[in-house]
Amino acid sequence: MTNKQAVALGDVSETLMIPLWCRAIETGRRRPILRDPRAQEIVAQLDYDFERRFASQRDLAFRACLRTVMIDRWVQEFLRMHPGGTVVEIGTGLNTRFERVDNGALRWFDVDLPDSLALRRRFFTDTARRRMVVGAFGDDDWLAQLGSAGEGPFLFIAEAVLVYLTEETVRRGLNAIAAAYPGSQFVLDTLTQRAIASQARPMMQTYRAPFVWGCDDPRTIEAWGRHRCLDSTTMLDLPPELRSRVPLKHRLAFSYLRARKPEVLRSHALHRFELRPSASA
């Protein structure tokens, strides 16, 4: 008899299980690129068939965690500059980024859809510096719950979220944040149009949430307002300290792709923007 937690999530919300499982698997490696024992605990407590979904995809967990670590680095850089800043994680799922980067002074908001937050509340609770907020990217009714622009600076994060939305929704969401919190930073990841069209996505084959939005050039996003791209990076551009922590089999795979199929490594990019409202806003 088990007392595992039942899972009832919509198609898009259910994809939160992918990064959760990836962090749990990576934590179990001998020399993990990140350690997330909380993810292991949550996986063990959920009534969810992770093995059926992911048994053949264990080698892909590292790549998802590499993306997470690269975003963590940008968050930590922001907090070095602004120790008391506010971080807003959109589509937070069961993420534990707060536990990895908390400096004891920041303010943090975990934003997600009602079904995702209902599950999250079984494992996490609000505190004086960290609060869960129901909200959907592209809507702006939840933004007022974050406080005024004067309480910033603000850093917004959307990891593995915007790809499920339409371009119109992504554009509307970014511009709404730019209007409410001008000068805030926004970290997001993109897939190229070619990658969106591809059917070779092993992790997604048992899910019913299709990839929708693709972006080949961050200058497209800049043109939506007066946004400014501060940084962009791909798996081709790993900093030396991360490259040295990549397991040998992945280093060999990256070397092959870099030499023979660099477009594969460039297809998934991370960007950090400064958001500015359009002149007409």
Side-chain angles (χ1 to χ4, degrees), residues 137 139-140 143-144 146-150 154 156 170-186 224-227 274-281:
F137 188 81
D139 297 335
D140 58 9
L143 291 174
L146 309 183
S148 69
F154 283 78
F156 294 80
V170 176
R171 178 173 182 168
R172 184 173 66 247
L174 288 176
N175 287 346
I177 293 172
Y181 302 98
S184 60
Q185 291 187 27
F186 197 105
W224 292 346
R226 293 182 297 151
H227 313 315
E274 179 185 44
L275 299 186
R276 292 286 181 181
S278 64
S280 60

Side-chain angles (χ1 to χ4, degrees), residues 145-162:
Q145 299 184 55
L146 309 183
S148 69
E151 295 180 72
F154 283 78
L155 170 67
F156 294 80
I157 309 164
E159 179 184 1
V161 172
L162 304 187

Side-chain angles (χ1 to χ4, degrees), residues 73-83 85-87 153-155 185 272:
R73 286 163 53 86
W74 276 344
V75 178
Q76 289 163 338
E77 180 180 329
F78 172 82
L79 292 173
R80 284 193 293 270
M81 297 291 293
H82 311 288
T86 299
V87 180
F154 283 78
L155 170 67
Q185 291 187 27
R272 178 170 56 169

Side-chain angles (χ1 to χ4, degrees), residues 21-29 31-34 61-62 65 247:
W21 178 84
C22 289
R23 296 194 311 276
I25 291 299
E26 179 64 16
T27 300
R29 286 201 312 110
R31 297 179 60 193
I33 198 168
L34 64 75
F62 171 81
C65 290

Side-chain angles (χ1 to χ4, degrees), residues 5-278:
Q5 299 277 344
V7 175
L9 296 169
D11 290 348
V12 171
S13 293
E14 191 181 0
T15 62
L16 67 83
M17 296 298 184
I18 299 172
L20 172 70
W21 178 84
C22 289
R23 296 194 311 276
I25 291 299
E26 179 64 16
T27 300
R29 286 201 312 110
R30 187 168 61 87
R31 297 179 60 193
I33 198 168
L34 64 75
R35 295 183 185 277
D36 192 345
R38 192 69 190 281
Q40 291 181 312
E41 294 170 5
I42 294 173
V43 164
Q45 293 178 56
L46 291 176
D47 184 12
Y48 192 81
D49 196 347
F50 289 98
E51 281 301 309
R52 180 179 66 84
R53 297 277 192 174
F54 306 128
S56 63
Q57 311 299 334
R58 296 177 74 89
D59 282 349
L60 298 180
F62 171 81
R63 296 191 187 186
C65 290
L66 187 56
R67 175 191 64 203
T68 296
V69 169
M70 293 167 74
I71 293 176
D72 283 356
R73 286 163 53 86
W74 276 344
V75 178
Q76 289 163 338
E77 180 180 329
F78 172 82
L79 292 173
R80 284 193 293 270
M81 297 291 293
H82 311 288
T86 299
V87 180
V88 183
E89 180 109 55
I90 300 170
T92 187
L94 292 170
N95 207 347
T96 54
R97 180 166 279 119
F98 175 89
E99 283 78 3
R100 294 192 299 275
V101 305
D102 182 27
N103 62 0
L106 61 81
R107 295 170 64 238
W108 191 282
F109 292 93
D110 287 304
V111 180
D112 214 328
L113 299 174
D115 55 347
S116 295
L117 282 194
L119 178 61
R120 183 177 182 84
R121 289 185 186 280
R122 301 182 200 172
F123 302 99
F124 300 89
T125 57
D126 289 348
T127 68
R129 292 189 296 110
R130 184 188 196 184
R131 186 158 64 89
M132 286 175 263
V133 173
V134 172
F137 188 81
D139 297 335
D140 58 9
D141 53 349
W142 55 271
L143 291 174
Q145 299 184 55
L146 309 183
S148 69
E151 295 180 72
F154 283 78
L155 170 67
F156 294 80
I157 309 164
E159 179 184 1
V161 172
L162 304 187
V163 71
Y164 299 105
L165 308 178
T166 65
E167 180 174 306
E168 178 185 359
T169 301
V170 176
R171 178 173 182 168
R172 184 173 66 247
L174 288 176
N175 287 346
I177 293 172
Y181 302 98
S184 60
Q185 291 187 27
F186 197 105
V187 171
L188 68 148
D189 60 311
T190 59
L191 288 175
T192 61
Q193 297 280 0
R194 181 176 179 179
I196 291 290
S198 172
Q199 298 301 310
R201 298 190 293 270
M203 281 279 192
M204 300 303 300
Q205 288 178 0
T206 61
Y207 286 88
R208 291 175 292 186
F211 289 171
V212 178
W213 177 60
C215 179
D216 293 337
D217 190 330
R219 287 176 293 186
T220 301
I221 299 172
E222 288 183 316
W224 292 346
R226 293 182 297 151
H227 313 315
R228 183 164 65 99
C229 186
L230 304 175
D231 292 290
S232 286
T233 188
T234 70
M235 297 300 178
L236 278 174
D237 311 309
L238 292 181
E241 62 269 29
L242 282 185
R243 196 178 305 128
S244 65
R245 295 166 60 191
V246 174
L248 177 60
K249 62 182 175 182
H250 289 288
R251 290 204 301 271
L252 293 174
F254 284 3
S255 295
Y256 171 81
L257 292 172
R258 188 178 295 111
R260 302 291 183 88
K261 297 182 178 181
E263 70 278 1
V264 174
L265 294 179
R266 291 194 184 100
S267 66
H268 191 182
L270 302 174
H271 312 283
R272 178 170 56 169
F273 284 87
E274 179 185 44
L275 299 186
R276 292 286 181 181
S278 64

